[in-house]
Amino acid sequence: QVQLVESGGGLVQPGGSLRLSCAASGSIASINSMGWYRSAPGKQRELVAVEISGGRKNYADSVKGRFTISRDNAKNTADLQMNSLKPEDTAVYYCMSAAQTTDKHGEYDYWGRGTQVTVSS
C-alpha cells in the first residue's frame, strides 16, 4: 500500500499564494506519476496538475501560468505552488499517485485525504 499525506492548505486572500505538499510512503516499488486534483462543491473532481516520470507536466487550462508542480523523486514528494489565487480555486485538493508496490503486481492509483484551500477576502 501507498499512503499519501497532504499539507499546506488554508485560507488565503485573492491574489495570494499557497504551497501544498504531498509525501508518499509505504511499500513503494516505483512511482509513475504524482499529481493534484481538486473537488469543489457541486463539481466533479478535476485534474489540477500532474508530473509524470521523465519530467513531463500537465496542467488544467484554468491554472496554467499560476500553478507549478514539482516532484522530488528521491523523497517521493510532490509540491504544488499556487500563485495569483482566485476564489474559483476554492476546493479540497487531493494528492494522487500512480505507483507500483512491492507486495502486488500492477500499477494502482492512490489518493490522499485532501486538504482544504479557501480563497476569500
Side-chain angles (χ1 to χ4, degrees):
Q1 288 294 321
V2 176
Q3 295 79 43
L4 301 176
V5 178
E6 304 106 333
S7 61
L11 173 65
V12 64
Q13 292 187 342
S17 298
L18 280 176
R19 188 175 184 89
L20 305 182
S21 296
C22 174
S25 62
S27 54
I28 298 170
S30 64
I31 293 179
N32 181 30
S33 64
M34 289 188 75
W36 291 89
Y37 286 70
R38 67 187 180 187
S39 180
K43 295 184 179 180
Q44 288 188 329
R45 187 176 296 189
E46 63 174 354
L47 171 69
V48 177
V50 63
E51 182 170 340
I52 303 168
S53 293
R56 188 177 67 179
K57 302 178 183 183
N58 292 327
Y59 295 93
D61 288 342
S62 60
V63 307
K64 284 180 181 177
R66 300 188 297 123
F67 291 11
T68 302
I69 187 170
S70 57
R71 275 179 65 179
D72 185 326
N73 294 325
K75 296 181 179 178
N76 291 331
T77 61
D79 290 352
L80 184 68
Q81 178 66 42
M82 305 185 294
N83 298 327
S84 301
L85 282 160
K86 304 175 181 180
E88 51 263 43
D89 294 318
T90 296
V92 177
Y93 284 70
Y94 298 90
C95 180
M96 187 284 294
S97 176
Q100 295 184 351
T101 60
T102 58
D103 54 357
K104 61 182 178 181
H105 294 292
E107 181 179 285
Y108 296 87
D109 292 343
Y110 297 91
W111 295 86
R113 291 189 172 186
T115 184
Q116 177 70 45
V117 172
T118 302
V119 184
S120 175
S121 55

